[in-house]
Amino acid sequence: MKIEEVKSTAKTQRISAHSHIKGLGLDDNGTAIGMAAGLVGQKDAREAAGIVVDMIRSKKMAGRAVMLAGPPGTGKTAIALAIAQELGSKVPFCPMVGSEVYSTEIKKTEVLMENFRRAIGLRIKETKEVYEGEVTELTPVETENPLGGYGKTVAHVIIGLKTAKGTKQLKLDPSVYESLQKEKVEGGDVIYIEANSGAVKRQGRSDTYATEFDLEAEEYVPLPKGDVHKKKEVIQDVTLHDLDIANARPQGGQDILSMMGQLMKPKKTEITDKLRKEINKVVNKYIDQGIAELVPGVLFIDEVHMLDIECFTYLHRALESAIAPIVIFATNRGRCVIRGTEDILSPHGVPLDLLDRLLIIRTLPYSRDELELILKLRGQTEGLVIDDDALTVLSEIGSTTTLRYAVQLLTPASLTARVNGRSNIAKEDIQEVGSLFLDAKSSAKILSQNKDKFMS
Ligand SMILES: Nc1ncnc2c1ncn2[C@@H]1O[C@H](COP(=O)(O)OP(=O)(O)OP(=O)(O)O)[C@@H](O)[C@H]1O
Ligand SMILES: [Mg+2]
């Protein structure tokens, strides 16, 4: 018996540049609050994004696509990540960048397909036979190692579980002991053990211990009611990609295998189209039977102009399929050539027929005051103290170059401040790093002015 939970393969988000963003900052009517949840200004785009969030929540949006379009540094990526925050952790959100499709090992459409499946969630309700309760006793019983040597091995585990109704002592397989250790189970925790697979789930600490220490990270749960041995409804949130992985690699994902296992003998090592089709079939069956529910999430494709015509054709078709997530694109390009074509010009570098099915949200350049507020926010999240006049200079720089450039000056400026023996960033620091590091436009200007000095 081997127990392992299906590991979520949700990508960790690239958020360091956006870590101050906590949501869209809308009020109950969906109106954007001037400065809230880390976002400043850009009201129309935020309100439009709020409507998109509502549509996703009410599941009216699957198979549609939205595009955030606007000049560089106007908050497109920031707003997309705010949408993810609003949706919460139960709705899958898969961020990717257009250029990710170019790999020498994997086909472009394969990359897109994988990310599509990361963005489609499945909520599975299963009634399982479990042993549940507060741990009153946890004793591994050791024996001599049967293979000789000095070590000892665990022969079995004695575990005591208590509920409001009674207490039960169980003698369990050593493999369960491993999963108990993996979940870091101690006396006083509330857990359940699945009877047929032996999988252990720690639900939290029993609330009789709630006053003991006040660790914020700890979740307190009440003592379970009913018998220790019972049938329990277990809810699992996974994505289609999680299922692909769990079934492609036999060593992982025992939990899902308990459901899917009847159909697919775990021999496969690679995710193939055939495997995906089979999984879809099983998933559809479970949906029909009411065991599982589809949760269409969001696939966010940043820098969509990096995709080529082949990808666009694929996307077009994928959006039509019965199980599709909502796709959010973002781009800062104007009219440009569609990649992979000779010379077909199109707005945003996206083919017209795909553009035609999009809802487009525009982001606009910021005013000086808004820039100042955003820079102040960034300073706060990075733990920097910035003088008022330094902030003014910086927002001035931001308005002539880009917001991103101004944000990026903050860290070097804090270093020069430190070199000069200060903990606050002064005007001079900003001016100094501003002359040391160029923004894209001035660098391009220098290049064209000194063409003869560079190799070409
Ligand atoms: N309205 C806003 N409120 C707070 N912070 C913002 C806002 N807009 C942008 N930012 C921050 O400014 C920086 C640049 O914005 P962002 O990366 O979202 O721009 P973008 O439109 O995606 O640009 P690009 O086209 O270059 O990708 C980020 O650190 C972002 O978090
Ligand atoms: Mg961006």
Side-chain angles (χ1 to χ4, degrees):
M1 183 167 44
K2 186 152 177 162
I3 306 113
E4 228 175 305
E5 284 260 315
V6 172
K7 287 207 188 66
S8 172
T9 50
K11 284 189 186 173
T12 45
Q13 290 164 15
R14 311 164 294 130
I15 49 161
S16 51
H18 307 279
S19 36
H20 57 290
I21 284 146
K22 304 281 177 264
L24 286 166
L26 305 174
D27 66 12
D28 292 342
N29 302 322
T31 315
I33 304 165
M35 181 173 148
L39 279 176
V40 177
Q42 211 63 268
K43 280 192 162 207
D44 289 350
R46 280 161 64 194
E47 284 168 17
I51 296 174
V52 171
V53 169
D54 283 345
M55 289 201 279
I56 298 168
R57 283 210 190 109
S58 56
K59 308 217 167 114
K60 294 218 173 82
M61 198 64 198
R64 312 257 186 107
V66 173
M67 177 147 82
L68 290 157
T74 47
K76 298 180 293 295
T77 308
I79 288 175
L81 295 176
I83 292 178
Q85 302 261 12
E86 293 286 336
L87 288 173
S89 60
K90 295 283 181 249
V91 181
F93 183 91
C94 173
M96 69 175 283
V97 181
S99 45
E100 267 176 52
V101 299
Y102 303 105
S103 146
T104 48
E105 276 136 45
I106 314 171
K107 274 199 300 192
K108 286 178 272 195
T109 51
E110 179 66 28
V111 177
L112 284 175
M113 164 73 95
E114 183 183 315
N115 284 308
F116 255 79
R117 289 175 79 83
R118 280 180 203 272
I120 304 168
L122 197 64
R123 164 163 281 206
I124 305 168
K125 285 191 222 103
E126 259 189 303
T127 314
K128 287 185 173 166
E129 195 187 326
V130 298
Y131 294 94
E132 185 184 45
E134 180 192 317
V135 178
T136 52
E137 181 191 355
L138 183 62
T139 330
V141 179
E142 293 180 333
T143 53
E144 295 295 332
N145 191 338
L147 303 174
Y150 300 107
K152 294 206 168 178
T153 56
V154 176
H156 56 262
V157 197
I158 303 287
I159 187 163
L161 290 176
K162 185 174 93 180
T163 65
K165 216 168 166 191
T167 314
K168 212 179 190 116
Q169 206 183 39
L170 310 169
K171 183 175 159 187
L172 298 171
D173 197 83
S175 63
V176 177
Y177 183 60
E178 273 171 38
S179 34
L180 284 166
Q181 280 181 317
K182 244 185 230 154
E183 288 271 294
K184 304 204 171 60
V185 174
E186 299 171 9
D189 290 348
V190 175
I191 64 165
Y192 66 80
I193 305 171
E194 276 174 35
N196 57 356
S197 70
V200 174
K201 177 100 178 101
R202 180 178 184 277
Q203 287 159 297
R205 190 127 185 98
S206 171
D207 60 7
T208 39
Y209 295 84
T211 47
E212 203 180 307
F213 314 101
D214 241 347
L215 276 182
E216 248 181 60
E218 195 58 275
E219 195 177 324
Y220 292 99
V221 292
L223 192 66
K225 297 186 190 72
D227 291 315
V228 172
H229 186 187
K230 65 177 152 205
K231 292 225 178 335
K232 181 183 170 71
E233 180 152 286
V234 180
I235 295 179
Q236 265 200 92
D237 287 296
V238 294
T239 67
L240 291 186
H241 181 68
D242 293 337
L243 292 181
D244 292 346
I245 295 262
N247 290 288
R249 270 193 239 126
Q251 67 271 32
Q254 203 67 33
D255 221 17
I256 289 301
L257 271 183
S258 67
M259 287 186 68
M260 302 286 171
Q262 312 99 296
L263 237 172
M264 285 156 283
K265 285 281 157 280
K267 273 263 166 62
K268 300 175 177 97
T269 52
E270 207 179 317
I271 303 172
T272 57
D273 256 358
K274 191 160 158 253
L275 174 76
R276 287 196 177 116
K277 280 213 186 91
E278 269 176 83
I279 289 182
N280 284 357
K281 226 192 281 164
V282 182
V283 164
N284 280 329
K285 200 175 92 198
Y286 283 115
I287 293 172
D288 287 345
Q289 292 173 349
I291 300 171
E293 185 194 347
L294 209 58
V295 186
V298 177
L299 172 61
F300 171 48
I301 308 183
D302 211 349
E303 329 263 314
V304 63
H305 50 265
M306 291 302 295
L307 297 181
D308 66 4
I309 189 80
E310 207 180 309
C311 297
F312 286 125
T313 314
Y314 177 83
L315 274 179
H316 207 145
R317 191 159 47 95
L319 279 170
E320 308 265 274
S321 88
I323 39 178
I326 123 151
V327 182
I328 300 182
F329 299 116
T331 179
N332 56 17
R333 294 301 148 96
R335 252 177 101 74
C336 60
V337 174
I338 302 168
R339 263 182 167 248
T341 66
E342 284 290 313
D343 53 0
I344 305 179
L345 276 174
S346 189
H348 313 294
V350 176
L352 285 176
D353 44 358
L354 184 59
L355 271 182
D356 200 38
R357 348 168 81 247
L358 302 181
L359 297 170
I360 299 181
I361 301 177
R362 199 153 72 113
T363 55
L364 301 170
Y366 293 112
S367 70
R368 274 278 312 276
D369 293 342
E370 286 168 337
L371 283 178
E372 200 164 322
L373 280 174
I374 295 173
L375 289 165
K376 200 167 166 182
L377 262 179
R378 275 309 296 179
Q380 280 164 3
T381 27
E382 290 182 29
L384 305 173
V385 187
I386 313 170
D387 292 355
D388 282 346
D389 53 346
L391 214 51
T392 316
V393 175
L394 195 59
S395 51
E396 189 117 17
I397 294 177
S399 63
T400 53
T401 60
T402 64
L403 170 60
R404 167 99 36 71
Y405 173 67
V407 169
Q408 275 169 350
L409 284 183
L410 279 175
T411 314
S414 74
L415 289 178
T416 48
R418 198 165 347 132
V419 169
N420 294 330
R422 271 181 279 104
S423 59
N424 56 316
I425 298 177
K427 205 166 107 189
E428 303 87 75
D429 302 319
I430 302 288
Q431 282 158 343
E432 190 181 335
V433 290
S435 64
L436 287 177
F437 298 103
L438 299 176
D439 65 292
K441 259 190 222 148
S442 3
S443 171
K445 203 161 132 204
I446 294 175
L447 282 187
S448 65
Q449 278 165 359
N450 302 291
K451 236 190 239 149
D452 48 331
K453 299 207 180 74
F454 290 94
M455 292 216 285
S456 61

